[in-house]
Amino acid sequence: MLLDAKTYEIIEVNHAFLNSYGMKREEILGKRCYEVTHHLNVPCHHANTSCPCPMESSIETGKLSYAEHVHRDYDGRTLYFEITTYPLKDVSGQVDRIIHLSRDITMRKHLEEELKKSEKKYRFLFNSIPNPVFVLEAKSFKIIDCNDKVSAVYGRNKEELVNKNFLDLFEELDREHYAIEIKTSDILNQVKHMNKYGQPIYVNIYVSPSDYLGTEVLLLSITDITDRLLVEQQLIQASKMTTLGEMATGIAHELNQPLSVIKTASRFLLKKVEKKENIPDESMKTLTEEIDSHVDRASRVINHLREFGRKPKVIDEKIQINDVFNRALEVIGQQLKVRGIDVVKELEDDLPPIIADSNRLEQVFINLLINARDAIEEKLKQADRKNETQKIYLRTSTQDGMITVQIEDTGIGIPQSVLNKIFEPFFTTKEAGKGTGLGLSISYSIVQNYHGAIKAESEPGKGAKFIIKFLVPDWD
């Protein structure tokens, strides 16, 4: 519309203006702009409205002016306009006319309001998720957003984390490795992070690529498993102590043999000394070598038991499955031997290494060997089973990028009705007081932690077979 700069009267309007306000020309011409647009009796600046008047600015400065106005039509509807005013000057250079252009932005404003509501709803849902959630820029790992739950886990509030690099939550030596893992994996298990106070926490990370305001992002959902791992480690340690207690007889026999040799040799030397008899150099050399070798043998047994029984820091490294098997047999092999159980090893040479903690995998194998021992002895208790074969078969092989481990026994077997329950915590088929029900459950958890799978096959009365498979890492 065209306005008189002195009186604010409307001199002319176009059809677009009339359509926007739903009015007729004769209803508008001669009226003042503030009467039509704001239903006021005085100019906007006298009425102290919240809308800045671009017309006043154009009159004062002689320049273009812009503003957004909230208007109401005669039906009471709220309308939003983007206003531009152009000053027109007379021959003396004074502003005497104003061209008042209105662009209806009501639809845009409504969309902005809906967007604000949507954003508010998103923020509510985002912060209602019980686990910490991070939104990362896909290429740089910069934290674009995170929810309020990060504070409880990391000790840092949102303001301390946004615009920082997510990789800073890892120890420095791990950052390059996990930068690759985050981009190539859906799930990262038992990841070590550091909280605000430099204390380690352990989390599982679930990764999902997405789009956020037109930017490629990674949505990371975090599950704090620190307390769970602590309980798990306590259970594992308790299981180890139980295992060592069960093997006490075999360990004593294993140590008794070198001690007997040492005792025999020392008595021989003592008698020679008491009788003041000369000991030939060759005999002395043989005796001292025997004593020395059997001291070493006893030391190896004791050191191995100490290492197995301690509560170690979990160290994942390259290990050979066959080596772990042989170490497990060092602990329990003598016990199996004195009970008349033969161990048949069919281990494939030159297996590729896997990433795991050797101490924990050794516990898995010992648990399975103890179960095999118990199954064989349970079978022998039956009156018609006294002459049954007592064997445990240990097999390893590799095929199609997988290492397969098998522990098969000739014991009593597992009833089909409970075969799918044996890996549940505290489930046991043994008599009361003869089993905690934790051995297989802990073994299952350890194998899973190293991206493996374990299952059991059995035919009652004909033994059981436990099969473990590990994925061979790509070492290239």
Side-chain angles (χ1 to χ4, degrees):
M1 58 184 172
L2 181 64
L3 305 173
D4 187 304
K6 294 179 181 179
T7 65
Y8 302 112
E9 288 184 5
I10 300 173
I11 301 171
E12 187 58 81
V13 294
N14 63 4
H15 290 294
F17 185 89
L18 296 173
N19 291 335
S20 295
Y21 284 86
M23 300 175 68
K24 297 178 181 179
R25 177 186 242 92
E26 56 268 22
E27 293 175 327
I28 294 178
L29 294 182
K31 289 189 176 182
R32 290 167 175 78
C33 62
Y34 50 80
E35 293 175 333
V36 174
T37 59
H38 294 291
H39 307 299
L40 297 173
N41 295 322
V42 294
C44 299
H45 62 284
H46 292 311
N48 295 321
T49 64
S50 59
C51 299
C53 183
M55 182 173 167
E56 290 290 335
S57 178
S58 291
I59 292 172
E60 291 177 6
T61 64
K63 298 179 180 180
L64 295 176
S65 185
Y66 304 90
E68 285 189 7
H69 276 194
V70 180
H71 294 175
R72 290 189 181 276
D73 64 12
Y74 279 92
D75 293 329
R77 292 181 304 157
T78 301
L79 304 174
Y80 298 89
F81 288 94
E82 189 176 75
I83 307 299
T84 305
T85 55
Y86 293 84
L88 300 177
K89 299 177 182 179
D90 59 19
V91 292
S92 65
Q94 297 297 313
V95 176
D96 67 342
R97 297 283 188 275
I98 297 290
I99 297 176
H100 183 288
L101 299 179
S102 301
R103 185 162 71 92
D104 190 345
I105 58 171
T106 304
M107 183 62 73
R108 191 189 80 187
K109 283 292 182 180
H110 287 166
L111 290 174
E112 287 177 357
E113 287 298 321
E114 290 299 319
L115 186 60
K116 286 180 181 179
K117 291 179 182 178
S118 179
E119 171 69 17
K120 187 176 181 180
K121 183 177 180 181
Y122 152 78
R123 183 57 57 183
F124 173 77
L125 293 174
F126 191 56
N127 287 323
S128 297
I129 297 172
N131 295 334
V133 178
F134 290 89
V135 182
L136 310 185
E137 193 176 77
K139 293 182 180 179
S140 66
F141 300 110
K142 183 178 78 172
I143 300 172
I144 299 174
D145 200 0
C146 59
N147 66 359
D148 295 337
K149 299 302 186 293
V150 300
S151 178
V153 174
Y154 292 94
R156 297 180 174 93
N157 58 35
K158 178 178 176 179
E159 289 70 27
E160 293 176 283
L161 289 166
V162 170
N163 294 322
K164 298 295 192 300
N165 196 301
F166 182 75
L167 296 178
D168 291 343
L169 297 175
F170 297 90
E171 289 187 302
E172 189 172 354
L173 293 176
D174 295 334
R175 291 171 189 171
E176 185 177 348
H177 167 71
Y178 282 112
I180 298 171
E181 287 291 307
I182 291 172
K183 287 188 175 182
T184 58
S185 303
D186 296 328
I187 302 174
L188 284 70
N189 291 315
Q190 292 192 20
V191 173
K192 183 180 180 182
H193 272 178
M194 307 301 292
N195 66 14
K196 183 177 181 177
Y197 312 103
Q199 300 166 329
I201 56 177
Y202 294 89
V203 300
N204 289 341
I205 302 177
Y206 302 86
V207 185
S208 177
S210 187
D211 181 85
Y212 181 83
L213 301 178
T215 301
E216 290 185 10
V217 299
L218 298 171
L219 298 180
L220 270 56
S221 176
I222 309 294
T223 302
D224 183 3
I225 59 171
T226 307
D227 291 340
R228 192 196 82 190
L229 283 184
L230 179 61
V231 172
E232 185 179 284
Q233 288 173 4
Q234 291 171 343
L235 287 174
I236 289 173
Q237 191 64 21
S239 177
K240 282 184 179 181
M241 296 300 101
T242 301
T243 300
L244 288 176
E246 288 183 359
M247 295 187 301
T249 303
I251 293 169
H253 190 277
E254 184 73 11
L255 290 174
N256 192 51
Q257 284 186 319
L259 290 175
S260 295
V261 173
I262 294 169
K263 183 69 173 177
T264 300
S266 63
R267 279 184 174 176
F268 174 80
L269 293 174
L270 184 60
K271 287 180 180 180
K272 288 291 186 183
V273 170
E274 288 174 347
K275 293 179 180 180
K276 296 182 181 181
E277 296 179 0
N278 290 327
I279 304 173
D281 291 344
E282 189 63 31
S283 297
M284 180 63 77
K285 181 176 181 296
T286 300
L287 288 171
T288 53
E289 285 178 347
E290 281 293 310
I291 292 171
D292 185 68
S293 67
H294 282 82
V295 167
D296 287 344
R297 178 182 173 185
S299 295
R300 282 196 302 271
V301 173
I302 293 169
N303 288 335
H304 188 182
L305 292 175
R306 184 189 295 120
E307 182 182 343
F308 177 76
R310 69 187 171 88
K311 190 175 182 180
K313 178 181 178 182
V314 178
I315 300 175
D316 293 343
E317 57 189 351
K318 286 185 179 181
I319 63 166
Q320 294 285 347
I321 290 289
N322 290 349
D323 292 344
V324 180
F325 246 143
N326 288 325
R327 284 176 61 81
L329 285 172
E330 286 178 9
V331 174
I332 197 173
Q334 185 61 35
Q335 185 181 124
L336 298 174
K337 185 176 181 180
V338 297
R339 297 186 185 209
I341 299 174
D342 294 330
V343 177
V344 180
K345 295 197 293 184
E346 300 172 5
L347 308 182
E348 182 177 311
D349 295 331
D350 301 322
L351 288 176
I354 64 168
I355 293 292
D357 179 86
S358 62
N359 190 285
R360 288 201 165 181
L361 275 193
E362 183 180 339
Q363 183 174 2
V364 171
F365 296 152
I366 289 175
N367 285 343
L368 295 177
L369 287 168
I370 288 174
N371 279 354
R373 176 205 69 190
D374 292 346
I376 290 171
E377 292 190 335
E378 184 66 26
K379 188 175 182 179
L380 291 177
K381 289 180 182 179
Q382 300 176 6
D384 58 341
R385 300 283 191 175
K386 297 301 182 182
N387 297 319
E388 289 284 337
T389 301
Q390 302 176 55
K391 287 188 177 182
I392 298 175
Y393 298 90
L394 308 182
R395 304 183 183 96
T396 60
S397 61
T398 179
Q399 186 177 6
D400 299 329
M402 301 290 292
I403 290 177
T404 300
V405 177
Q406 294 184 18
I407 299 178
E408 183 178 1
D409 62 67
T410 58
I412 196 169
I414 305 169
Q416 292 296 314
S417 59
V418 300
L419 196 58
N420 61 343
K421 298 179 181 179
I422 60 174
F423 295 110
E424 295 177 4
F426 304 107
F427 180 85
T428 179
T429 58
K430 298 177 183 179
E431 297 176 16
K434 291 192 176 182
T436 63
L438 287 174
L440 287 179
S441 174
I442 288 171
S443 298
Y444 182 87
S445 176
I446 292 172
V447 169
Q448 275 206 324
N449 287 343
Y450 297 120
H451 310 291
I454 180 172
K455 68 175 183 177
E457 296 177 354
S458 178
E459 186 175 345
K462 296 186 178 180
K465 181 194 296 185
F466 285 85
I467 303 169
I468 306 173
K469 290 183 178 290
F470 292 104
L471 182 66
V472 178
D474 185 1
W475 300 111
D476 294 335

